[in-house]
Each structure stands twice: as C-alpha cells, then as structure tokens.
Amino acid sequence: MILILLGPPGAGKGTQAKLLSTELGIPHISTGDMFRDHKARGTEIGKQVQAIMDAGGLVTDDITNAMVKERLSRPDVAPGFILDGYPRTVVQAEYLDGLLRSLGRSIDRALSYEVAEELVVERISGRRSCPRCGAVYHVSANPPKRAGYCDRDDAELVQREDDKPENVRKRMQEYGTKTEPLKRYYRDRGELAEVEGVGTPEGILAATKKVLGR
Ligand code: ADP
C-alpha cells in the first residue's frame, strides 16, 4: 500500500504515520525528518536547507525530489510506504507520479488530516522533541513523565526552531498557498480521503483505518 499524508503543520501527520507504519508493516518516510537528519549530520544538503527550514520556508523542489527518488530506490519500500510531508507542491506531486509510473507503481490513497487553524497553532507551540531519539511530546496534551526531559533517554527536550511562533506563521502560509492545492489535485483523481484530525492518536488511527477499509 502506498499512502500520502496531507494536512497543515501540526495536523498530526507524523504521529499517524508512525502508528500506520507499525500497523501496516511498511516504512514511514518523512521528508522533514530526513532534512533534520541531514542538518544534524552537517551534510551538504543539510547546509543548503538549514536557513530556509528554520525560517519555516519550503526546501526547493529539486533538492526534495532528488532525496525522495533516492529513498524510493531502497528495497524496503517494496511492500509499500507512507509519505509524510511529501509531496508539498504540485511540482512535487507531478514528479512523484512520474517516478512511481517509472517503477510500475501508483499511490493508493492521499489522506488529508483536517484540523482547525487555532488548534494547529496550539499543538505546534506546545510541541517538544527529544534531540537524541526523536520522540515527540506536547507540554499539556502528551507530556513526558518528568517535565522537560525525554521518557526514553532522559535527554533535555527542545523546541524545533521552526516551531517558534514567528516561523509557524510562515509555515501556515506556505501550506495554504503551495500544499493545500494538492487536495484538489488528488480529489480530481479520486484518490483523496479526508480524515478528521481531532481526537486521540488512537481515535484518529481508527478513523484512518476505516477510510482505508481495514
Ligand atoms: P511539519 O511539522 O510542518 O509537518 P515537517 O517535519 O514535515 O514539518 O517539515 C519540516 C520542514 O522541512 C518544512 O517546513 C520544510 O522546510 C522542510 N520540508 C519537509 N518536507 C518538504 C517538502 N516536501 N518540500 C519542501 N520542503 C520540505
């Protein structure tokens, strides 16, 4: 099964992608995580994307498409995969179509997580993550056992640079102008399914599975 997850920043795509990945036994491919990993390792790509990412802008389509192409050439994607945060522009969606066609594959569903803007801002501003293992928390909705420290490895939690309020606004703008039009793109092809992104992660997972007929 090949799934694409759409939705504004803070819609819970990453959380659902992780749950679905376990549930369906297929890899979770997050372009945001891949870019953060490049930044952390200080690679050439990491250096190129650092400033734009921190400010909440989108990385160029060329860099993003090339990274996804490489990722989809690995053998673990054979049974299917979940794309979280890609495509984010119509150019990327068209590129993905061509790439999948060349591999003799096609997407099964584009799942769009629907969440009101106020809630998204609340979620993002309270989000904290572990710089060591990547675990994600929320100061009130999903707090760690000891405030400010990771349950798994006790590292001090941090706020992503792009989760700071001034950068969140930019991300919401980017979403509205560049990514939201993708809903129409997938709807026109009969591949879009909208899922209410409000509730507990397990509740939203159940709603997602229902939409997928599983
Ligand atoms: P969000 O919490 O907004 O869903 P992600 O973790 O998916 O964030 O992405 C973080 C940042 O990585 C984006 O704001 C953008 O700078 C960059 N990025 C991730 N995926 C893409 C993409 N498909 N195209 C361009 N930039 C991307």
Side-chain angles (χ1 to χ4, degrees):
M1 168 132 40
I2 298 180
L3 298 176
I4 290 173
L5 306 193
L6 298 171
K13 298 184 298 289
T15 302
Q16 289 304 311
K18 287 190 187 99
L19 294 171
L20 280 168
S21 164
T22 307
E23 188 83 19
L24 303 172
I26 54 179
H28 165 206
I29 301 176
S30 158
T31 45
D33 285 348
M34 291 168 81
F35 284 133
R36 277 187 287 279
D37 180 59
H38 274 288
K39 267 173 55 179
R41 288 187 292 123
T43 66
E44 204 44 52
I45 291 182
K47 285 178 204 147
Q48 280 174 27
V49 305
Q50 173 122 23
I52 183 97
M53 240 182 115
D54 286 351
L58 291 186
V59 175
T60 63
D61 290 329
D62 286 352
I63 293 179
T64 310
N65 288 338
M67 184 176 76
V68 169
K69 180 177 184 200
E70 191 281 323
R71 180 65 187 84
L72 296 187
S73 71
R74 298 195 211 156
D76 66 334
V77 301
F81 51 89
I82 301 164
L83 283 172
D84 160 18
Y86 179 91
R88 252 183 166 89
T89 64
V90 172
V91 171
Q92 292 178 12
E94 287 169 347
Y95 178 84
L96 177 66
D97 279 342
L99 181 60
L100 291 178
R101 208 175 309 121
S102 73
L103 298 169
R105 309 184 75 171
S106 61
I107 77 155
D108 291 279
R109 269 277 193 283
L111 297 167
S112 175
Y113 289 91
E114 305 297 319
V115 182
E117 184 160 341
E118 311 85 75
L119 187 58
V120 156
V121 172
E122 209 281 310
R123 283 183 181 176
I124 296 181
S125 57
R127 175 156 68 183
R128 299 290 182 274
S129 58
C130 174
R132 201 172 296 159
C133 73
V136 182
Y137 301 89
H138 185 281
V139 290
S140 55
N142 173 30
K145 292 199 183 74
R146 180 159 81 102
Y149 294 89
C150 184
D151 290 348
R152 293 192 208 157
D153 55 24
D154 218 34
E156 191 167 359
L157 302 179
V158 296
Q159 181 172 41
R160 271 166 46 181
E161 188 58 34
D162 62 346
D163 277 353
K164 298 189 171 155
E166 60 277 22
N167 299 327
V168 169
R169 208 188 330 260
K170 169 80 176 162
R171 282 160 65 203
M172 296 301 288
Q173 256 173 23
E174 292 280 64
Y175 175 75
T177 57
K178 298 180 181 161
T179 309
E180 200 156 33
L182 289 182
K183 281 171 63 177
R184 170 97 194 266
Y185 180 91
Y186 289 112
R187 186 181 293 120
D188 286 350
R189 301 152 53 109
E191 291 165 345
L192 187 77
E194 288 173 300
V195 182
E196 170 83 45
V198 183
T200 62
E202 293 71 26
I204 300 168
L205 176 66
T208 304
K209 285 168 65 183
K210 197 165 161 197
V211 155
L212 296 176
R214 301 180 70 105

